[in-house]
Amino acid sequence: MENFVLSTCSTSDMPRAFYEERNIGLVQFHFNMDGVEYEDDLGESISYDEFYQRIADGSQPTTSQVNVQQYMDYFEPFLKEGKAILHLDFSSGLSGSYNSACIARESLLETYPDAKLYIVDTLAASSGFGLLVDTAADMRDSGKSIEEVRDFIEENKLNLHHWFFSSDLTSYIRGGRVKPVAGFIGTILKICPLLNVNHEGKLIPRLKCRGKAKAIDTIVEKMVQHAEGGLEYSGKCFISNSACYEDARAVADKVEATFKNLNGKVLINSIGTVIGSHTGPGTVALFFYGDKRVD
């Protein structure tokens, strides 16, 4: 039975129905595209298809994190009602949002000194972040206390793995994450970089795969190497993608064929507009629980 407010950020990249059905509050980031500012509202203002097509056509969106005042405005109505809040935030290795939430918390506790307002730096992103939120919601719904859920997420967040590959380097080059010459050569040779999120919550390049098929094989191999229980993995597996559903489906099919004891089918989501502003189209990300991330 729910006994506290569970909330998160739009960068957890789950469908609108997930947040509504699981009764999870949502704090929205923002992005600017072609001179217009939008809320990261899960593809409602701009569909994901349109968003990624505009990037492919040359648009270069920029993003802005949730600021302190936004967090205060979001948290305070719950505190006025005497409700406890557990907020899971986007990785501090990728955004300053967590720091803004902590500043808002300290300010609000001056007015509500007895309030329970807990902020967790998930060190996670996209639907991997969403998988942690899903776990927290399951625990809340099973009757766990706010402190039990907070402590479990803190203790286990580094067991959540993120592996990404991209078949389109254009946005990585534009954003300076790949040097132009390296990007040009990589495009010619059909190089797909494989990246993951490290123990500091930062996105780190790990391998260069020659061709999409190799990248798909390699990302599933990483799950075999790191998943909890290896091939006997019985947890959930989420995938997110940026306008490349067929590639995501290929990864999901391979995961489902490899891991026979999954908790349900692989869930495929879209990479949202904030993270997608940096990846552009062509990115597939795989998320699962496994051994602890140590680098």
Side-chain angles (χ1 to χ4, degrees):
M1 192 73 179
E2 177 186 355
N3 59 0
F4 59 88
V5 175
L6 177 62
S7 69
T8 189
C9 305
S10 57
T11 46
S12 50
D13 286 352
M14 299 292 286
R16 173 70 69 184
F18 168 80
Y19 303 106
E20 293 177 349
E21 292 170 4
R22 303 304 305 271
N23 197 16
I24 297 166
L26 197 63
V27 182
Q28 295 175 322
F29 276 60
H30 295 79
F31 68 98
N32 187 293
M33 192 173 217
D34 300 325
V36 179
E37 183 172 287
Y38 300 90
E39 286 190 333
D40 178 24
D41 57 8
L42 313 181
E44 293 178 0
S45 296
I46 299 179
S47 71
Y48 293 135
D49 287 343
E50 179 185 350
F51 175 76
Y52 287 112
Q53 185 59 56
R54 285 168 67 173
I55 293 177
D57 292 340
S59 293
Q60 299 182 43
T62 57
T63 61
S64 57
Q65 65 192 38
V66 184
N67 62 39
V68 174
Q69 190 60 52
Q70 284 177 274
Y71 275 120
M72 291 183 68
D73 292 343
Y74 174 77
F75 293 139
E76 189 164 24
F78 295 118
L79 300 183
K80 283 183 177 179
E81 295 176 4
K83 294 182 178 179
I85 306 169
L86 174 60
H87 178 75
L88 307 187
D89 212 283
F90 189 34
S91 172
S92 63
L94 298 171
S95 168
S97 172
Y98 169 70
N99 186 56
S100 294
C102 290
I103 293 172
R105 175 183 184 274
E106 293 307 311
S107 180
L108 287 167
L109 288 180
E110 293 178 3
T111 305
Y112 307 92
D114 298 324
K116 288 185 177 182
L117 173 53
Y118 301 128
I119 314 292
V120 175
D121 177 3
T122 63
L123 300 176
S126 194
S127 295
F129 180 9
L131 185 49
L132 283 175
V133 175
D134 180 70
T135 299
D138 285 345
M139 294 184 69
R140 175 203 61 191
D141 294 348
S142 73
K144 299 295 185 183
S145 71
I146 188 171
E147 288 83 8
E148 286 176 311
V149 179
R150 176 201 61 190
D151 292 348
F152 181 88
I153 297 299
E154 286 284 13
E155 291 167 7
N156 291 276
K157 62 189 180 185
L158 290 180
N159 293 95
L160 194 283
H161 280 254
H162 315 57
W163 288 93
F164 300 72
F165 74 80
S166 182
S167 58
D168 186 338
L169 301 180
T170 305
S171 291
Y172 291 85
I173 296 169
R174 288 175 181 167
R177 289 175 294 279
V178 174
K179 293 181 180 179
V181 173
F184 175 76
I185 295 172
T187 299
I188 295 297
L189 297 178
K190 297 184 178 180
I191 297 297
C192 296
L194 186 70
L195 311 91
N196 78 339
V197 172
N198 73 356
H199 66 294
E200 296 178 328
K202 298 176 180 178
L203 192 59
I204 305 295
R206 297 298 185 183
L207 296 169
K208 296 177 182 178
C209 300
R210 185 76 179 269
K212 191 187 299 183
K214 178 63 175 176
I216 291 171
D217 287 343
T218 303
I219 202 171
V220 177
E221 287 171 8
K222 290 299 181 184
M223 185 170 175
V224 172
Q225 292 170 16
H226 294 286
E228 183 179 16
L231 292 174
E232 300 303 313
Y233 179 66
S234 58
K236 293 182 181 180
C237 177
F238 290 176
I239 289 175
S240 57
N241 78 100
S242 55
C244 53
Y245 178 83
E246 290 184 2
D247 296 340
R249 184 68 259 169
V251 174
D253 289 345
K254 196 170 183 66
V255 167
E256 289 172 358
T258 304
F259 298 89
K260 305 297 186 181
N261 298 317
L262 287 176
N263 182 355
K265 294 289 187 178
V266 174
L267 179 65
I268 301 177
N269 301 314
S270 290
I271 293 176
T273 50
V274 169
I275 295 175
S277 293
H278 301 283
T279 68
T283 293
V284 175
L286 174 66
F287 311 101
F288 56 90
Y289 283 106
D291 53 8
K292 195 167 292 292
R293 287 146 45 199
V294 295
D295 67 356

